[in-house]
């Protein structure tokens, strides 16, 4: 689950990724454009207010990015954020999403140094 993903990253001297800039998001779109499968946990967790996430490493709110949708798959607290590299596998270019859903789901982690 989301909390376990953070532990896994730390075992490799990394932390869950925080996407803070359009440039970082563009990098992920390029690097992960060929991935098919599930969302990847990032270091974002609910801020205990509706539809709001903060980054675990800084406490800062997760920004909204131009051209990238947030997809809400949970209606209560105890949610984590994830990056989905390609939500539409038939599109000519990747369609990434930032996803909010319960932390209990098992997903791969997106770690950073």
């Amino acid at each position: 689950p989301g909390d376990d993903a953070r532990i896994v990253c730390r075992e490799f001297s990394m932390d869950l990724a925080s996407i803070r800039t359009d440039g970082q998001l563009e990098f992920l779109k390029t690097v992960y454009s060929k991935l098919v499968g599930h969302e990847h946990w990032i270091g974002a967790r609910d801020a205990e207010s509706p539809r709001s996430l903060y980054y675990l490493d800084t406490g800062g709110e997760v920004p909204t990015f131009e051209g990238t949708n947030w997809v809400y798959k949970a209606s209560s607290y105890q949610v984590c954020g994830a990056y989905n590299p390609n939500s539409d596998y038939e599109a000519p270019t990747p369609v990434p999403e930032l996803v909010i859903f319960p932390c209990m789901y098992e997903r791969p982690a997106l770690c950073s140094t």
Side-chain angles (χ1 to χ4, degrees):
D3 293 329
D4 293 341
R6 189 174 193 198
I7 293 168
V8 169
C9 289
R10 287 189 170 176
E11 287 176 0
F12 293 95
S13 300
M14 294 186 278
D15 207 349
L16 283 169
S18 296
I19 306 167
R20 291 192 177 84
T21 67
D22 289 319
Q24 290 171 327
L25 188 59
E26 287 303 315
F27 173 77
L28 287 174
K29 287 179 185 179
T30 303
V31 173
Y32 288 97
S33 65
K34 303 290 189 253
L35 284 181
V36 175
H38 293 294
E39 299 85 357
H40 294 65
W41 289 125
I42 58 174
R45 179 127 183 147
D46 66 78
E48 298 187 6
S49 60
R51 297 183 175 184
S52 181
L53 295 177
Y54 71 93
Y55 278 123
L56 298 168
D57 58 352
T58 64
E61 190 171 339
V62 177
T64 301
F65 294 100
E66 186 78 27
T68 302
N69 295 324
W70 277 103
V71 178
Y72 301 96
K73 296 185 178 180
S75 59
S76 62
Y77 302 127
Q78 300 297 315
V79 295
C80 292
Y83 175 74
N84 183 353
N86 192 2
S87 64
D88 184 353
Y89 307 118
E90 295 181 15
T93 58
V95 181
E97 296 175 327
L98 295 168
V99 184
I100 299 173
F101 51 47
C103 301
M104 71 179 111
Y105 293 158
E106 290 187 23
R107 296 288 186 266
L110 184 57
C111 303
S112 68
T113 56

